[in-house]
Amino acid sequence: MQSNQHSMKSLPLLCLGGLLLAGAHSTPAVDRYVSPAGAHVPPFTTWATAATNIQAAVDVALKDDVVWVTNGLYCTGGRAAAGVGMTTNRVWVQLPLTVRSVNGPEVTIIEGKVDTTSLPRREAVRGVLLAANAVLSGFTVRGGGTTTTDRLGGGVCTYAGAGIVANCIITGNTADFGGGVCGGTVTNCIITGNTADT
């Protein structure tokens, strides 16, 4: 018979004001920074040491952190999502955290890549892939595309349909389904000039 009991020594212990708490621990949210002029020194917690691409800051961020992105064209970096097709994503937010621009979509651009020359379009780069409860706010997402095996949302795709896209301009993206955005909650966005086969 399996026991659900745990020994006290296996749990972290905190003593607060004379009260002993077993298993209680939390990490405060951290601000991370991205700038084309940053020194790119992890963990990217000041503007001076800011990451030079968004994915690098997202990769070190933890749940509930905020990744602040200043003005620029972000067209390097990226990550493929294991088990979610084979499209590279310029930004793949795997945790419930926020990626937010400082000055809005007119001056903060995430650019993917459409592949029209090879099959299965393996050179395509989607703009952004968001996990459940991840937030993207204040960007232009343009020029994104997908492979033939990962056909959803050339601009933004929300994994399991539960990401949040706010205050963005989604334009000039291509996919078989949902050229601009596929899934999630979309608030106060301009979605224009995207193409999809269906």
Side-chain angles (χ1 to χ4, degrees):
M1 179 173 168
Q2 188 175 8
S3 170
N4 290 325
Q5 295 179 351
H6 303 278
S7 71
M8 285 296 288
K9 68 180 181 179
S10 69
L11 296 173
L13 301 175
L14 294 177
C15 186
L16 301 173
L19 176 64
L20 186 65
L21 301 174
H25 65 284
S26 64
T27 304
V30 173
D31 289 333
R32 317 271 178 180
Y33 300 95
V34 182
S35 168
H40 200 78
V41 180
F44 314 120
T45 52
T46 69
W47 282 116
T49 62
T52 54
N53 70 77
I54 299 169
Q55 188 64 55
V58 168
D59 283 347
V60 300
L62 302 174
K63 180 179 180 289
D64 298 327
D65 285 357
V66 178
V67 175
W68 292 95
V69 183
T70 195
N71 304 8
L73 170 62
Y74 296 92
C75 57
T76 62
R79 179 91 52 241
V84 191
M86 58 185 268
T87 299
T88 296
N89 306 281
R90 187 66 67 211
V91 181
W92 167 206
V93 185
Q94 303 178 55
L95 297 174
L97 56 90
T98 299
V99 179
R100 184 183 306 276
S101 75
V102 175
N103 293 310
E106 293 80 8
V107 291
T108 321
I109 301 161
I110 297 171
E111 186 171 88
K113 180 181 178 184
V114 175
D115 182 356
T116 59
T117 60
S118 71
L119 286 176
R121 301 195 301 252
R122 61 179 57 87
E123 300 300 318
V125 180
R126 176 188 285 117
V128 181
L129 178 64
L130 297 175
N133 300 313
V135 178
L136 180 77
S137 180
F139 292 87
T140 290
V141 182
R142 74 183 189 195
T146 59
T147 64
T148 55
T149 57
D150 180 10
R151 304 163 65 193
L152 306 174
V156 181
C157 184
T158 64
Y159 187 57
I164 300 164
V165 184
N167 309 309
C168 289
I169 299 170
I170 314 294
T171 186
N173 303 284
T174 301
D176 291 341
F177 303 96
V181 180
C182 184
T185 300
V186 179
T187 304
N188 196 34
C189 291
I190 297 171
I191 302 172
T192 183
N194 303 284
T195 58
D197 289 344
T198 54

